[in-house]
Coordinates of all heavy atoms in Angstrom, one line a residue:
M1 N 85.5 72.9 126.7 CA 86.1 72.7 125.4 C 86.3 71.2 125.1 O 85.9 70.8 124.0 CB 87.4 73.4 125.5 CG 87.9 74.1 124.3 SD 86.8 75.0 123.3 CE 88.0 76.0 122.5
E2 N 86.8 70.5 126.1 CA 87.0 69.1 125.8 C 85.7 68.3 125.6 O 85.7 67.4 124.8 CB 87.7 68.5 127.1 CG 88.1 67.0 126.9 CD 89.2 66.8 125.8 OE1 90.0 67.7 125.6 OE2 89.2 65.7 125.2
E3 N 84.6 68.8 126.2 CA 83.3 68.1 126.0 C 82.8 68.3 124.5 O 82.3 67.4 123.9 CB 82.4 68.8 127.0 CG 81.1 68.0 127.1 CD 80.2 68.7 128.2 OE1 80.6 68.7 129.4 OE2 79.1 69.2 127.8
K4 N 83.0 69.5 124.0 CA 82.5 69.9 122.7 C 83.5 69.4 121.6 O 83.1 69.0 120.5 CB 82.3 71.4 122.5 CG 81.2 71.9 123.4 CD 79.9 71.5 122.9 CE 78.8 72.1 123.8 NZ 77.5 71.7 123.5
L5 N 84.8 69.4 121.8 CA 85.8 69.1 120.9 C 86.8 68.1 121.5 O 87.9 68.5 121.9 CB 86.5 70.3 120.3 CG 85.7 71.3 119.6 CD1 86.5 72.6 119.5 CD2 85.2 70.8 118.3
P6 N 86.5 66.9 121.7 CA 87.4 65.9 122.3 C 88.7 65.8 121.7 O 88.8 65.8 120.4 CB 86.6 64.6 122.2 CG 85.2 64.9 121.9 CD 85.2 66.2 121.2
G7 N 89.8 65.9 122.5 CA 91.1 65.8 121.9 C 91.7 67.0 121.3 O 92.8 67.0 120.7
C8 N 91.0 68.2 121.5 CA 91.5 69.4 120.9 C 92.7 70.0 121.6 O 93.5 70.8 121.1 CB 90.4 70.5 120.8 SG 89.9 71.2 122.3
N9 N 92.8 69.7 122.9 CA 93.9 70.2 123.8 C 94.0 71.7 123.8 O 95.1 72.2 124.1 CB 95.2 69.6 123.3 CG 95.3 68.1 123.4 OD1 94.7 67.5 124.3 ND2 95.9 67.5 122.5
L10 N 92.9 72.4 123.6 CA 92.9 73.9 123.8 C 92.4 74.2 125.2 O 91.4 73.6 125.6 CB 91.9 74.5 122.8 CG 92.5 74.7 121.4 CD1 91.4 75.3 120.5 CD2 93.7 75.6 121.4
L11 N 93.1 75.1 125.8 CA 92.7 75.5 127.1 C 92.2 77.0 127.0 O 92.8 77.8 126.3 CB 93.8 75.4 128.1 CG 94.4 74.0 128.3 CD1 95.7 74.0 129.1 CD2 93.4 73.1 128.9
A12 N 91.3 77.4 127.9 CA 90.9 78.8 127.9 C 92.0 79.7 128.2 O 92.3 80.7 127.6 CB 89.7 79.0 128.9
T13 N 92.8 79.2 129.2 CA 94.1 79.9 129.5 C 95.2 79.0 129.2 O 95.2 77.9 129.7 CB 94.1 80.3 131.0 OG1 92.9 81.0 131.3 CG2 95.3 81.0 131.4
P14 N 96.1 79.3 128.4 CA 96.4 80.6 127.8 C 95.9 80.7 126.3 O 96.0 81.8 125.8 CB 98.0 80.5 127.7 CG 98.3 79.1 127.5 CD 97.2 78.3 128.2
N15 N 95.4 79.6 125.7 CA 95.1 79.7 124.3 C 94.1 80.7 123.9 O 94.3 81.6 123.1 CB 94.6 78.3 123.8 CG 95.7 77.2 124.0 OD1 95.6 76.5 125.0 ND2 96.6 77.1 123.1
I16 N 92.9 80.7 124.5 CA 91.8 81.6 124.1 C 92.1 83.0 124.6 O 91.9 84.0 123.9 CB 90.5 81.0 124.6 CG1 90.2 79.7 123.8 CG2 89.4 82.0 124.3 CD1 89.0 79.0 124.3
D17 N 92.6 83.0 125.9 CA 92.9 84.3 126.5 C 93.9 85.1 125.6 O 93.8 86.3 125.4 CB 93.5 84.2 127.9 CG 92.4 83.8 128.9 OD1 91.2 83.9 128.5 OD2 92.7 83.4 130.0
S18 N 95.0 84.4 125.2 CA 96.0 85.1 124.4 C 95.5 85.6 123.0 O 95.8 86.7 122.6 CB 97.3 84.3 124.2 OG 97.0 83.1 123.4
K19 N 94.6 84.8 122.4 CA 94.0 85.2 121.1 C 93.1 86.5 121.4 O 93.1 87.4 120.6 CB 93.2 84.1 120.5 CG 92.5 84.4 119.3 CD 93.5 84.4 118.1 CE 92.7 84.5 116.8 NZ 93.6 84.5 115.7
Y20 N 92.3 86.4 122.4 CA 91.4 87.5 122.8 C 92.2 88.8 123.0 O 91.9 89.9 122.5 CB 90.6 87.2 124.0 CG 89.8 88.3 124.6 CD1 88.5 88.5 124.1 CD2 90.2 89.1 125.6 CE1 87.7 89.5 124.6 CE2 89.4 90.1 126.1 CZ 88.2 90.3 125.6 OH 87.4 91.3 126.1
K21 N 93.3 88.7 123.8 CA 94.1 89.9 124.1 C 94.8 90.4 122.8 O 94.9 91.6 122.7 CB 95.2 89.5 125.1 CG 94.6 89.3 126.5 CD 95.7 88.9 127.5 CE 95.1 88.6 128.9 NZ 96.0 88.1 129.8
R22 N 95.3 89.5 122.0 CA 95.9 90.0 120.7 C 94.9 90.7 119.8 O 95.2 91.8 119.3 CB 96.5 88.8 120.0 CG 97.5 89.2 118.9 CD 98.2 88.1 118.2 NE 97.7 88.0 116.9 CZ 96.9 87.1 116.4 NH1 96.5 86.1 117.0 NH2 96.5 87.2 115.1
L23 N 93.7 90.1 119.7 CA 92.7 90.8 118.8 C 92.3 92.1 119.4 O 92.1 93.1 118.7 CB 91.4 89.9 118.7 CG 91.5 88.7 117.8 CD1 90.3 87.8 117.9 CD2 91.7 89.2 116.3
K24 N 92.2 92.2 120.7 CA 91.8 93.5 121.4 C 92.9 94.5 121.2 O 92.6 95.7 120.9 CB 91.6 93.3 122.9 CG 91.1 94.5 123.6 CD 90.7 94.2 125.0 CE 90.1 95.5 125.6 NZ 89.6 95.2 127.0
R25 N 94.2 94.1 121.3 CA 95.3 95.0 121.1 C 95.3 95.5 119.7 O 95.5 96.7 119.4 CB 96.6 94.3 121.5 CG 97.8 95.2 121.6 CD 99.0 94.5 122.2 NE 99.3 93.2 121.6 CZ 99.1 92.0 122.3 NH1 98.7 91.9 123.5 NH2 99.4 90.9 121.6
M26 N 95.1 94.6 118.7 CA 95.1 95.0 117.3 C 93.9 96.0 117.0 O 94.1 97.0 116.3 CB 95.0 93.8 116.4 CG 96.3 93.0 116.4 SD 96.1 91.4 115.4 CE 96.0 92.1 113.8
Y27 N 92.7 95.6 117.5 CA 91.6 96.5 117.3 C 91.8 97.9 117.8 O 91.5 98.9 117.2 CB 90.3 95.8 117.9 CG 89.1 96.8 117.8 CD1 88.4 96.8 116.7 CD2 88.8 97.6 118.9 CE1 87.3 97.7 116.6 CE2 87.7 98.4 118.9 CZ 87.0 98.5 117.7 OH 85.9 99.4 117.7
N28 N 92.3 98.0 119.1 CA 92.5 99.3 119.7 C 93.6 100.1 119.0 O 93.4 101.3 118.8 CB 92.9 99.1 121.2 CG 91.7 98.7 122.0 OD1 90.6 99.0 121.7 ND2 92.0 98.0 123.1
A29 N 94.6 99.4 118.5 CA 95.7 100.1 117.8 C 95.1 100.7 116.5 O 95.4 101.9 116.1 CB 96.8 99.2 117.5
V30 N 94.4 99.9 115.7 CA 93.8 100.4 114.4 C 92.8 101.5 114.7 O 92.8 102.5 114.0 CB 93.1 99.2 113.7 CG1 92.3 99.7 112.5 CG2 94.2 98.2 113.2
T31 N 92.0 101.3 115.7 CA 91.0 102.4 116.0 C 91.7 103.7 116.4 O 91.2 104.8 116.0 CB 90.1 101.9 117.2 OG1 89.4 100.7 116.8 CG2 89.0 102.9 117.5
D32 N 92.7 103.6 117.2 CA 93.5 104.8 117.6 C 94.1 105.5 116.4 O 94.2 106.7 116.4 CB 94.6 104.5 118.6 CG 94.0 104.1 120.0 OD1 92.8 104.4 120.2 OD2 94.8 103.5 120.8
M33 N 94.5 104.7 115.4 CA 95.2 105.3 114.2 C 94.3 105.8 113.1 O 94.7 106.6 112.3 CB 96.2 104.3 113.7 CG 97.4 104.1 114.5 SD 98.6 103.0 113.8 CE 98.0 101.4 114.2
L34 N 93.1 105.3 113.1 CA 92.2 105.7 112.0 C 92.0 107.2 112.0 O 91.8 107.8 113.1 CB 90.8 105.1 112.2 CG 90.6 103.6 111.7 CD1 89.3 103.1 112.1 CD2 90.8 103.6 110.2
G35 N 92.2 107.8 110.9 CA 92.1 109.2 110.8 C 93.3 110.0 111.1 O 93.3 111.2 110.9
S36 N 94.4 109.3 111.5 CA 95.6 110.1 111.8 C 96.4 110.2 110.6 O 96.3 109.5 109.6 CB 96.4 109.4 112.9 OG 96.9 108.1 112.5
S37 N 97.3 111.2 110.6 CA 98.1 111.5 109.5 C 99.1 110.3 109.1 O 99.7 109.7 110.0 CB 99.0 112.7 109.8 OG 99.8 113.0 108.7
G38 N 99.2 109.9 107.9 CA 100.1 108.9 107.4 C 99.5 107.5 107.6 O 100.2 106.5 107.4
F39 N 98.3 107.4 108.0 CA 97.7 106.0 108.2 C 97.0 105.6 107.0 O 96.1 106.3 106.5 CB 96.7 106.1 109.4 CG 96.1 104.8 109.7 CD1 96.8 103.8 110.3 CD2 94.8 104.5 109.5 CE1 96.3 102.5 110.6 CE2 94.2 103.3 109.8 CZ 94.9 102.3 110.4
G40 N 97.3 104.4 106.5 CA 96.7 103.9 105.3 C 95.9 102.6 105.7 O 96.5 101.7 106.2
W41 N 94.6 102.6 105.5 CA 93.7 101.5 105.9 C 93.0 101.0 104.7 O 92.3 101.8 104.0 CB 92.8 101.9 107.0 CG 91.7 100.9 107.4 CD1 90.4 101.0 107.2 CD2 91.9 99.7 108.2 NE1 89.8 99.9 107.7 CE2 90.7 99.1 108.3 CE3 93.1 99.1 108.7 CZ2 90.5 97.9 109.1 CZ3 92.9 97.9 109.4 CH2 91.6 97.4 109.6
N42 N 93.1 99.7 104.4 CA 92.4 99.1 103.2 C 91.0 98.7 103.7 O 90.9 97.8 104.5 CB 93.2 97.9 102.7 CG 92.5 97.4 101.5 OD1 91.3 97.1 101.5 ND2 93.3 97.2 100.4
E43 N 90.0 99.5 103.3 CA 88.7 99.3 103.8 C 88.1 98.0 103.3 O 87.3 97.4 104.0 CB 87.8 100.4 103.3 CG 86.8 101.1 104.1 CD 86.8 101.0 105.6 OE1 87.5 101.8 106.2 OE2 86.0 100.2 106.1
T44 N 88.5 97.5 102.2 CA 87.9 96.3 101.6 C 88.5 95.0 102.3 O 87.8 94.1 102.7 CB 88.2 96.2 100.1 OG1 87.8 97.4 99.5 CG2 87.5 95.0 99.4
L45 N 89.8 95.0 102.4 CA 90.5 93.8 102.9 C 90.8 94.0 104.4 O 91.3 93.0 105.1 CB 91.8 93.6 102.2 CG 91.6 93.3 100.7 CD1 93.0 93.2 100.0 CD2 90.8 92.1 100.5
H46 N 90.5 95.1 105.0 CA 90.7 95.4 106.4 C 92.2 95.1 106.9 O 92.4 94.2 107.8 CB 89.7 94.6 107.3 CG 88.3 95.1 107.1 ND1 87.4 94.4 106.4 CD2 87.7 96.2 107.5 CE1 86.3 95.1 106.4 NE2 86.4 96.2 107.1
Y47 N 93.1 95.8 106.3 CA 94.5 95.7 106.8 C 95.2 97.0 106.7 O 94.8 97.9 106.0 CB 95.3 94.6 106.1 CG 95.6 94.9 104.7 CD1 96.8 95.5 104.4 CD2 94.8 94.4 103.6 CE1 97.2 95.8 103.0 CE2 95.2 94.6 102.3 CZ 96.3 95.3 102.0 OH 96.7 95.5 100.7
V48 N 96.2 97.2 107.6 CA 97.0 98.5 107.6 C 97.9 98.5 106.5 O 98.7 97.5 106.3 CB 97.7 98.6 109.0 CG1 98.5 99.8 109.0 CG2 96.8 98.5 110.1
E49 N 97.8 99.5 105.6 CA 98.7 99.6 104.5 C 100.0 100.4 104.8 O 101.1 100.1 104.3 CB 98.0 100.3 103.3 CG 96.9 99.4 102.7 CD 96.2 100.1 101.6 OE1 96.1 101.3 101.5 OE2 95.6 99.3 100.8
S50 N 99.8 101.4 105.6 CA 101.0 102.2 106.0 C 100.7 103.0 107.3 O 99.6 103.5 107.5 CB 101.3 103.2 104.9 OG 100.2 104.1 104.7
H51 N 101.7 103.1 108.1 CA 101.8 104.0 109.2 C 103.1 103.8 109.9 O 103.6 102.7 110.1 CB 100.7 103.7 110.2 CG 100.5 104.8 111.3 ND1 101.3 104.9 112.4 CD2 99.7 105.9 111.3 CE1 100.9 105.9 113.1 NE2 100.0 106.6 112.5
P52 N 103.8 104.9 110.2 CA 105.1 104.8 110.8 C 105.2 104.0 112.1 O 106.2 103.4 112.3 CB 105.5 106.3 111.0 CG 104.5 107.1 110.4 CD 103.3 106.3 110.0
K53 N 104.2 104.0 112.9 CA 104.2 103.3 114.2 C 103.5 102.0 114.1 O 103.3 101.4 115.2 CB 103.6 104.2 115.2 CG 104.4 105.5 115.5 CD 103.8 106.3 116.6 CE 104.7 107.5 116.8 NZ 104.2 108.4 117.8
A54 N 103.1 101.5 113.0 CA 102.3 100.3 112.9 C 103.1 99.1 112.2 O 102.6 98.3 111.6 CB 101.1 100.5 112.0
K55 N 104.4 99.0 112.5 CA 105.2 98.0 111.9 C 104.7 96.6 112.2 O 104.7 95.7 111.3 CB 106.7 98.1 112.4 CG 107.3 99.4 111.9 CD 108.7 99.5 112.4 CE 109.3 100.8 111.9 NZ 110.4 101.3 112.6
G56 N 104.2 96.3 113.4 CA 103.7 95.0 113.7 C 102.3 94.7 113.1 O 101.9 93.6 113.1
L57 N 101.7 95.7 112.6 CA 100.3 95.5 112.0 C 100.3 95.6 110.5 O 99.3 95.3 109.9 CB 99.4 96.6 112.5 CG 99.0 96.5 114.0 CD1 98.2 97.8 114.4 CD2 98.3 95.3 114.3
L58 N 101.4 96.0 109.9 CA 101.4 96.2 108.4 C 101.1 94.9 107.7 O 101.6 93.9 108.0 CB 102.8 96.7 108.0 CG 103.1 98.2 108.3 CD1 104.5 98.5 107.8 CD2 102.1 99.1 107.8
N59 N 100.1 95.0 106.8 CA 99.7 93.9 105.9 C 99.1 92.7 106.7 O 99.0 91.7 106.2 CB 100.8 93.5 105.0 CG 101.2 94.6 104.1 OD1 100.4 95.4 103.6 ND2 102.5 94.8 103.9
K60 N 98.8 93.0 108.0 CA 98.1 91.9 108.7 C 96.6 92.2 108.7 O 96.1 93.3 109.1 CB 98.6 91.9 110.2 CG 100.0 91.5 110.3 CD 100.3 90.9 111.6 CE 101.8 90.5 111.5 NZ 102.3 89.8 112.5
S61 N 95.9 91.2 108.2 CA 94.4 91.4 108.0 C 93.7 91.3 109.3 O 94.0 90.5 110.2 CB 93.9 90.3 107.1 OG 92.6 90.5 106.8
L62 N 92.7 92.2 109.5 CA 91.8 92.2 110.6 C 90.4 92.1 110.1 O 89.6 93.1 110.1 CB 92.1 93.5 111.5 CG 91.5 93.5 112.9 CD1 92.0 92.3 113.7 CD2 91.9 94.8 113.6
L63 N 90.1 91.0 109.4 CA 88.9 90.8 108.6 C 87.6 91.1 109.4 O 86.7 91.6 108.8 CB 88.9 89.4 108.1 CG 89.9 89.0 107.0 CD1 89.8 87.5 106.6 CD2 89.8 89.9 105.8
K64 N 87.6 90.8 110.6 CA 86.4 91.0 111.4 C 86.4 92.4 112.2 O 85.8 92.5 113.2 CB 86.2 89.9 112.4 CG 86.1 88.5 111.7 CD 84.9 88.3 111.0 CE 84.8 86.9 110.4 NZ 83.7 86.6 109.6
Y65 N 87.1 93.4 111.6 CA 87.3 94.6 112.3 C 85.9 95.2 112.7 O 85.7 95.6 113.9 CB 88.0 95.6 111.5 CG 88.1 97.0 112.1 CD1 89.1 97.2 113.2 CD2 87.3 98.0 111.8 CE1 89.2 98.4 113.8 CE2 87.4 99.3 112.4 CZ 88.3 99.4 113.4 OH 88.4 100.7 114.0
D66 N 85.0 95.2 111.8 CA 83.6 95.8 112.1 C 82.9 95.1 113.3 O 82.4 95.7 114.2 CB 82.8 95.8 110.9 CG 83.3 96.7 109.8 OD1 84.0 97.7 110.2 OD2 83.1 96.4 108.6
Q67 N 83.0 93.7 113.2 CA 82.4 92.9 114.3 C 83.1 93.1 115.6 O 82.5 93.0 116.7 CB 82.3 91.4 113.9 CG 81.4 91.1 112.8 CD 81.9 91.4 111.4 OE1 83.1 91.8 111.2 NE2 81.1 91.2 110.3
L68 N 84.4 93.2 115.6 CA 85.2 93.4 116.8 C 84.8 94.7 117.5 O 84.9 94.8 118.7 CB 86.7 93.4 116.5 CG 87.3 92.1 116.1 CD1 88.7 92.3 115.7 CD2 87.2 91.0 117.2
G69 N 84.3 95.6 116.8 CA 83.8 96.9 117.4 C 82.6 96.6 118.4 O 82.5 97.3 119.4
F70 N 81.8 95.6 118.1 CA 80.7 95.2 119.0 C 81.2 94.6 120.3 O 80.6 94.8 121.3 CB 79.8 94.2 118.3 CG 79.0 94.8 117.2 CD1 79.2 94.4 115.9 CD2 78.1 95.8 117.4 CE1 78.5 94.9 114.8 CE2 77.4 96.4 116.3 CZ 77.6 95.9 115.0
I71 N 82.4 93.9 120.2 CA 83.0 93.3 121.4 C 83.8 94.3 122.2 O 83.7 94.4 123.4 CB 83.8 92.1 120.9 CG1 83.0 91.1 120.2 CG2 84.5 91.5 122.1 CD1 83.7 90.0 119.5
F72 N 84.8 94.9 121.5 CA 85.7 95.8 122.2 C 85.4 97.2 122.2 O 85.9 98.0 123.1 CB 87.1 95.6 121.5 CG 87.6 94.2 121.5 CD1 88.1 93.7 120.3 CD2 87.7 93.4 122.6 CE1 88.5 92.4 120.2 CE2 88.1 92.1 122.6 CZ 88.6 91.6 121.4
G73 N 84.5 97.7 121.4 CA 84.2 99.1 121.3 C 83.5 99.6 122.6 O 83.8 100.8 122.9
K74 N 82.8 98.8 123.3 CA 82.1 99.3 124.5 C 83.1 99.5 125.6 O 82.8 100.2 126.6 CB 81.1 98.3 124.9 CG 81.6 97.0 125.4 CD 80.5 96.0 125.8 CE 80.9 94.8 126.4 NZ 81.6 93.8 125.6
D75 N 84.4 99.0 125.5 CA 85.4 99.2 126.5 C 86.2 100.5 126.3 O 87.0 100.8 127.1 CB 86.4 98.0 126.4 CG 85.8 96.7 126.8 OD1 84.8 96.7 127.5 OD2 86.4 95.7 126.5
R76 N 85.9 101.2 125.2 CA 86.6 102.5 124.9 C 85.8 103.7 125.3 O 84.7 103.8 124.8 CB 87.0 102.5 123.5 CG 87.9 101.3 123.1 CD 88.2 101.3 121.6 NE 88.9 102.6 121.2 CZ 90.2 102.8 121.3 NH1 91.0 101.9 121.8 NH2 90.6 103.9 120.9
A77 N 86.4 104.6 126.0 CA 85.7 105.8 126.4 C 85.9 106.8 125.2 O 87.0 106.9 124.6 CB 86.3 106.4 127.6
T78 N 84.8 107.5 124.9 CA 84.9 108.5 123.9 C 84.1 109.8 124.3 O 83.4 109.7 125.3 CB 84.2 108.0 122.6 OG1 82.9 107.6 122.9 CG2 85.0 106.8 122.0
G79 N 84.3 110.9 123.7 CA 83.6 112.1 124.0 C 84.3 113.0 124.9 O 85.5 112.8 125.2
K80 N 83.6 114.1 125.3 CA 84.3 115.1 126.1 C 84.7 114.7 127.5 O 85.7 115.1 128.0 CB 83.3 116.3 126.3 CG 83.2 117.2 125.1 CD 82.5 118.5 125.4 CE 81.0 118.3 125.5 NZ 80.3 119.6 125.7
A81 N 84.0 113.7 128.1 CA 84.3 113.3 129.4 C 85.4 112.2 129.4 O 85.8 111.8 130.5 CB 83.1 112.8 130.1
A82 N 85.9 111.8 128.3 CA 86.9 110.7 128.2 C 88.2 111.2 128.8 O 88.6 112.3 128.5 CB 87.0 110.2 126.8
E83 N 88.9 110.3 129.5 CA 90.2 110.7 130.0 C 91.1 109.5 129.9 O 90.7 108.3 129.9 CB 90.2 111.2 131.4 CG 89.5 110.3 132.4 CD 89.4 111.0 133.8 OE1 89.2 112.2 133.9 OE2 89.4 110.2 134.7
A84 N 92.4 109.7 129.7 CA 93.4 108.7 129.6 C 93.6 108.1 131.0 O 93.4 108.7 132.0 CB 94.7 109.3 129.0
P85 N 94.1 106.8 131.0 CA 94.4 106.2 132.4 C 95.3 107.0 133.3 O 95.0 107.1 134.5 CB 95.0 104.9 132.0 CG 94.6 104.6 130.6 CD 94.4 105.9 129.9
G86 N 96.2 107.7 132.7 CA 97.1 108.6 133.5 C 96.4 109.8 134.1 O 96.9 110.4 135.1
D87 N 95.3 110.2 133.4 CA 94.6 111.4 133.9 C 93.5 111.0 135.0 O 93.0 111.9 135.7 CB 93.9 112.1 132.7 CG 94.9 112.6 131.7 OD1 96.0 112.9 132.1 OD2 94.5 112.7 130.5
A88 N 93.2 109.8 135.0 CA 92.1 109.3 136.0 C 92.6 109.5 137.4 O 93.8 109.2 137.7 CB 91.7 107.9 135.7
V89 N 91.7 109.9 138.3 CA 92.0 110.0 139.7 C 91.4 109.0 140.5 O 90.3 108.6 140.3 CB 91.6 111.4 140.2 CG1 91.9 111.5 141.7 CG2 92.3 112.5 139.4

């Protein structure tokens, strides 16, 4: 980082790691809520309009939601064989 941006004082840990974890947490939360009852998602501006359990996400834009799917989507199990971490043996 210092080589490309001298004087930026950004470190991979904790600066980039914390941003990565926050984006992943937001992406997963929105993905889990999509299609659930009471969930309002603004498709144009990519932000949560309403959901009882989304207080921390309300009106926070996730502009790159579609692109984040390419990064974080592969980490999510889907389909009949999917199981929650508590169910895994």
Side-chain angles (χ1 to χ4, degrees):
M1 213 41 160
E2 185 65 31
E3 193 177 297
K4 296 287 184 184
L5 301 167
C8 73
N9 297 325
L10 281 178
L11 302 171
T13 303
N15 300 95
I16 296 171
D17 286 345
S18 64
K19 180 74 169 183
Y20 175 86
K21 288 176 185 176
R22 193 175 114 250
L23 283 172
K24 185 173 185 174
R25 193 171 46 249
M26 289 174 69
Y27 172 82
N28 286 335
V30 169
T31 302
D32 289 344
M33 288 185 275
L34 278 173
S36 68
S37 177
F39 182 72
W41 175 250
N42 184 309
E43 222 18 84
T44 307
L45 301 175
H46 292 105
Y47 71 88
V48 178
E49 292 177 334
S50 63
H51 193 275
K53 296 182 180 177
K55 291 178 183 158
L57 294 172
L58 290 179
N59 300 318
K60 293 207 179 189
S61 183
L62 196 55
L63 292 176
K64 304 288 184 183
Y65 177 78
D66 297 329
Q67 289 84 0
L68 290 173
F70 293 113
I71 298 168
F72 302 129
K74 68 180 186 295
D75 293 341
R76 298 179 57 85
T78 58
K80 284 195 279 185
E83 52 186 33
D87 299 331
V89 176

